[in-house]
Amino acid sequence: MAWSYSIAALLSLAQEQTFRRALALNKFTRKVRAIQEPFVLVVGYGQAGEAVCRALEDQGRNFVVLDSESERIEHLALDEYTTDVPAMAASGRDPRILGMAGLGHPNCEAVLALTDNDETNLSVVMTVNLLRPELMVIARCSDREHAQQMHDFAADVVINPFDRYGAYLVMALRRPSGFRLASWLMSPRGSELPHKLEHLTDGHWVVCADGTFGFEVTRDLESAGLDVVLVDPADGRPDVSEAVGFIAGAESDIVNMAMAAHARIENDNLFIAVRQSSAVNHAPLRAFDADSVFVPTELLAREAVARITSPNYWSFIDHVLHEDDDWDAQVMDEIVSVVGDATPVSTRVEIDQRSTPAAIRWMRTQELTIGDLLRDPDDRTVRLAVYPAVLVREGRRTFTPSLDKPLQEGDTLLLLGKEHDLALVRTTVFHDAAVEYVATGREVPTAWVFRVWQKRVARRVEKRSGGGRGAAAA
């Protein structure tokens, strides 16, 4: 009877929701504490959160996920990530939950507030600012008042995807090369260079959208000097016969495709942009083949991951966004000619004793240029598929530095390239023979006995040449 009672009690306890939640919370906190490498805390696993997590995994980065909806956490468990992702169904508004999710963990390097609720995102920003002000925090926000409050609490980046889309659309109109290059650099690795948007010209634009999206896009287009009319989708199909551009921005993907299809029939020379709100309609919208498809979560994820990748990587993209179009076109051609037309991988090389010991030893007596570092260690006449994007020296950044520029101890290089070639660069700087070969062309024996023998031969040759010069002078 005692065993029967005990088993029944245990079964009853196992069915208690509070007990099961306590077990899940304990398992979650143990997973978080066990993380030994830098990780990102992602609050919100909607479309934007999922896109960010996919991009982070693609870069080999660790992350922890919080979301208030248990269905999304269950969906995450079925998403076939290559690692066991610590995830918990809980609200990011609770500072205690953020602490359990790793906010106080020494390996937490950034926090992303990506929920659909601006107040929840603001709460995350406030907690991070008060408890871990040194951490980078990136927040999603669609309301200007909440965005200002986030800035008051020192949020590093506040992204309004609706406002960003209008700005990028204007950039595609005014500076097409810069738009292509920036979009390409923010795309997942391996993505092809996007095509130039055709027939995107000045003239009359029609924006048929509801809510914040219509207001933000209209404002950006008007600030660029364009003639824009904002129409409510509830008022029916707008007249686009005299327009050069049409943006279907209703909250419903079905309504947007219907409006875009009618606009194409009415004006076949029209530039058509369509807003996509749900990932379910990805295939039909791609088949519709609009000139531009705006996915708010995708844009948000691209920019957030680009900023997290490294400050220097984002600084390069930001420089592209603000340079003139001729410079962007030239740099784009240079990168593609070296790396190819697939989005490159980025890596940071610190020129110091720990990260590049062989290069430091060589630089104490000889010169080592950026171009030398990018030579193939097996055949120095071959240029690796690596492009130097940024050189940081004494806190100052030089974009697209010359290959002839000598390196100095303490420098930081941001390199773009193919993964295999970047690995060769990281290998070269650890081997004295490889560094000497790429710098001079001399093939140095790698065995210790042969290196000692070669040094002795070099000394004898130097003494003889010195004695010969002395006799001649006498």
Side-chain angles (χ1 to χ4, degrees), residues 11 183 192 204 254 269 291 324 366 409 437 456:
L11 290 175
S183 300
E192 293 185 359
H204 179 61
I254 305 303
N269 292 320
D291 296 288
D324 62 78
Q366 305 289 335
E409 186 171 0
Y437 172 69
R456 289 182 177 177

Side-chain angles (χ1 to χ4, degrees), residues 82-100:
T82 56
T83 58
D84 186 13
V85 179
M88 184 70 185
S91 173
R93 289 175 179 251
D94 190 340
R96 297 170 300 175
I97 295 296
L98 290 177
M100 294 175 184

Side-chain angles (χ1 to χ4, degrees), residues 207-226:
V207 177
C208 190
D210 45 21
T212 307
F213 175 75
F215 169 76
E216 294 287 355
V217 172
T218 300
R219 196 185 71 154
D220 286 326
L221 295 178
E222 287 179 339
S223 66
L226 298 178

Side-chain angles (χ1 to χ4, degrees), residues 38 44 72 103 149 214 227 231 240 258 307 340 350 376 402 417 443 452:
R72 290 179 175 177
L103 181 60
Q149 293 170 345
D227 175 26
V231 180
V240 296
R307 288 178 180 272
E350 303 278 356
D376 191 324
S402 169
E443 296 188 12
V452 172

Side-chain angles (χ1 to χ4, degrees), residues 58-74:
D58 184 54
Q59 294 187 2
R61 290 175 175 267
N62 296 310
F63 51 93
V64 175
V65 176
L66 283 179
D67 195 285
S68 58
E69 296 186 18
S70 57
E71 292 82 2
R72 290 179 175 177
I73 298 301
E74 293 171 1

Side-chain angles (χ1 to χ4, degrees), residues 299-363:
L299 189 150
L300 176 66
R302 287 185 179 186
E303 183 168 335
V305 173
R307 288 178 180 272
I308 289 176
T309 298
S310 80
N312 292 325
Y313 186 70
W314 176 254
S315 72
F316 182 66
I317 296 177
D318 189 57
H319 189 69
V320 167
L321 293 172
H322 293 90
E323 265 289 352
D324 62 78
D325 214 42
D326 293 335
W327 186 91
D328 290 336
Q330 179 183 345
V331 170
M332 181 169 58
D333 291 340
E334 291 174 358
I335 297 177
V336 171
S337 66
V338 173
V339 178
D341 59 0
T343 302
V345 180
S346 68
T347 193
R348 185 179 63 183
V349 179
E350 303 278 356
I351 309 299
D352 55 28
Q353 186 62 44
R354 178 177 173 273
S355 303
T356 59
I360 292 296
R361 287 191 290 269
W362 176 262
M363 289 163 54

Side-chain angles (χ1 to χ4, degrees), residues 76-398:
L76 181 147
L78 301 175
D79 277 345
E80 299 181 352
Y81 288 104
T82 56
T83 58
D84 186 13
V85 179
M88 184 70 185
S91 173
R93 289 175 179 251
D94 190 340
R96 297 170 300 175
I97 295 296
L98 290 177
M100 294 175 184
L103 181 60
H105 198 295
N107 287 328
C108 182
E109 61 178 350
V111 179
L112 299 181
L114 304 177
T115 72
D116 299 329
N117 188 291
D118 287 348
E119 285 193 7
T120 299
N121 294 338
L122 174 60
S123 175
V124 173
V125 170
M126 293 168 64
T127 302
V128 175
N129 173 261
L130 296 173
L131 301 182
R132 291 291 304 276
E134 74 279 9
L135 290 184
M136 171 183 282
V137 57
I138 299 176
R140 172 185 182 177
C141 188
S142 58
D143 179 73
R144 291 184 176 273
E145 181 61 29
H146 283 116
Q148 182 57 52
Q149 293 170 345
M150 291 177 184
H151 284 299
D152 292 340
F153 276 90
D156 293 273
V157 184
V158 178
I159 302 176
N160 182 343
F162 297 159
D163 181 46
R164 286 288 200 276
Y165 178 69
Y168 284 134
L169 193 61
V170 171
M171 186 178 180
L173 176 64
R174 303 298 189 202
R175 296 176 43 230
S177 296
F179 173 76
R180 291 182 69 201
L181 180 55
S183 300
W184 184 54
L185 293 174
M186 288 191 290
S187 298
R189 66 174 66 182
S191 302
E192 293 185 359
L193 184 69
H195 297 292
K196 182 179 178 180
L197 295 177
E198 301 294 340
H199 61 273
L200 188 59
T201 60
D202 290 327
H204 179 61
W205 282 72
V206 177
V207 177
C208 190
D210 45 21
T212 307
F213 175 75
F215 169 76
E216 294 287 355
V217 172
T218 300
R219 196 185 71 154
D220 286 326
L221 295 178
E222 287 179 339
S223 66
L226 298 178
D227 175 26
V228 188
V229 172
L230 176 60
V231 180
D232 192 325
D235 295 337
R237 294 174 297 194
D239 179 18
V240 296
S241 57
E242 302 297 327
V244 298
F246 174 67
I247 299 176
E251 294 185 359
S252 168
D253 293 346
I254 305 303
V255 171
N256 289 335
M257 281 191 285
M259 291 192 299
H262 178 77
R264 178 175 286 174
I265 294 172
E266 188 175 350
N267 185 348
D268 57 359
N269 292 320
L270 196 64
F271 178 91
I272 297 178
V274 180
R275 171 187 174 187
Q276 176 186 330
S277 299
S278 172
V280 175
N281 298 308
H282 174 80
L285 277 169
R286 290 300 180 270
F288 181 76
D289 194 25
D291 296 288
S292 173
V293 176
F294 167 57
V295 187
T297 55
E298 183 178 306
L299 189 150
L300 176 66
R302 287 185 179 186
E303 183 168 335
V305 173
R307 288 178 180 272
I308 289 176
T309 298
S310 80
N312 292 325
Y313 186 70
W314 176 254
S315 72
F316 182 66
I317 296 177
D318 189 57
H319 189 69
V320 167
L321 293 172
H322 293 90
E323 265 289 352
D324 62 78
D325 214 42
D326 293 335
W327 186 91
D328 290 336
Q330 179 183 345
V331 170
M332 181 169 58
D333 291 340
E334 291 174 358
I335 297 177
V336 171
S337 66
V338 173
V339 178
D341 59 0
T343 302
V345 180
S346 68
T347 193
R348 185 179 63 183
V349 179
E350 303 278 356
I351 309 299
D352 55 28
Q353 186 62 44
R354 178 177 173 273
S355 303
T356 59
I360 292 296
R361 287 191 290 269
W362 176 262
M363 289 163 54
R364 286 170 182 166
T365 57
Q366 305 289 335
E367 183 179 271
L368 183 68
T369 66
I370 295 176
D372 292 335
L373 205 62
L374 306 187
R375 296 179 187 274
D376 191 324
D378 293 323
D379 183 359
R380 71 186 301 270
T381 62
V382 176
R383 162 81 179 274
L384 295 175
V386 177
Y387 183 83
V390 184
L391 171 67
V392 183
R393 177 173 296 171
E394 297 179 352
R396 299 184 62 181
R397 292 187 176 97
T398 301

